[in-house]
Amino acid sequence: MEKEKNLKQWGISLEDIPPEGITIEFSDIQDLGKEIKVKEGFSGYFKLKKLGTEVKLKGFLKGSVFLECDRCLSPFEYKIEHEFDFNIKPSASLNLEEERELTEEDMEVSFYEDAWISFLDLLKEEILLSLP
């Protein structure tokens, strides 16, 4: 239970990212909530570099999850090795009033709230995006 609590607090404040950037390495992350059933714990890294209020994120993750076959409903292991590269912007920068078509650049962005970047949320998001 303590590890789960710590993972929910796993992240970094925008002000704690030095001008030269920072690399956060992780290993054997197992408990990612009910929607992700981990077989082999996830390891990898996040490289963050602050660009004003935006943060450039490059990273890598490796691990495996249990999935269920849509045809036969049998469980199987799905290995993931995934590199990613995108910007993280403040959620306040979203213009929800204006309806517009998303560009490819809009699709390669994530958001943070209250100057806090949650590594757990980023990890879960990238795992889910890498699934078939």
Side-chain angles (χ1 to χ4, degrees):
M1 192 68 165
E2 186 65 33
K3 189 173 183 178
E4 181 180 324
K5 187 186 243 184
N6 289 339
L7 278 179
K8 288 183 180 181
Q9 298 170 354
W10 183 41
I12 193 166
S13 173
L14 199 60
E15 65 187 34
D16 292 336
I17 301 173
E20 67 277 5
I22 189 169
T23 299
I24 306 295
E25 295 183 359
F26 56 90
S27 63
D28 199 31
I29 303 292
Q30 297 272 343
D31 189 3
L32 296 172
K34 295 176 184 172
E35 69 271 7
I36 302 174
K37 296 178 180 146
V38 176
K39 175 163 184 350
E40 178 188 330
F42 282 87
S43 59
Y45 63 85
F46 299 123
K47 288 184 180 181
L48 300 103
K49 182 152 177 77
K50 192 163 42 173
L51 309 167
T53 59
E54 290 187 24
V55 176
K56 179 74 172 168
L57 174 81
K58 292 183 178 185
F60 174 79
L61 61 90
K62 180 180 179 178
S64 66
V65 294
F66 285 112
L67 297 178
E68 188 175 89
C69 177
D70 287 339
R71 268 201 285 174
C72 68
L73 301 178
S74 295
F76 67 96
E77 178 183 1
Y78 185 77
K79 292 185 182 284
I80 298 172
E81 280 193 46
H82 178 64
E83 287 186 37
F84 46 93
D85 182 356
F86 57 88
N87 290 330
I88 308 172
K89 298 180 179 183
S91 58
S93 70
L94 281 171
N95 184 356
L96 299 176
E97 301 294 318
E98 176 187 325
E99 188 173 315
R100 63 185 177 88
E101 186 175 332
L102 295 175
T103 65
E104 191 162 327
E105 185 178 304
D106 291 330
M107 302 299 279
E108 295 176 5
V109 68
S110 190
F111 297 94
Y112 65 84
E113 289 186 45
D114 302 324
W116 178 258
I117 297 172
S118 167
F119 296 143
L120 179 61
D121 291 347
L122 290 172
L123 181 60
K124 288 165 77 171
E125 183 178 305
E126 288 305 312
I127 290 169
L128 292 172
L129 287 171
S130 68
L131 297 177

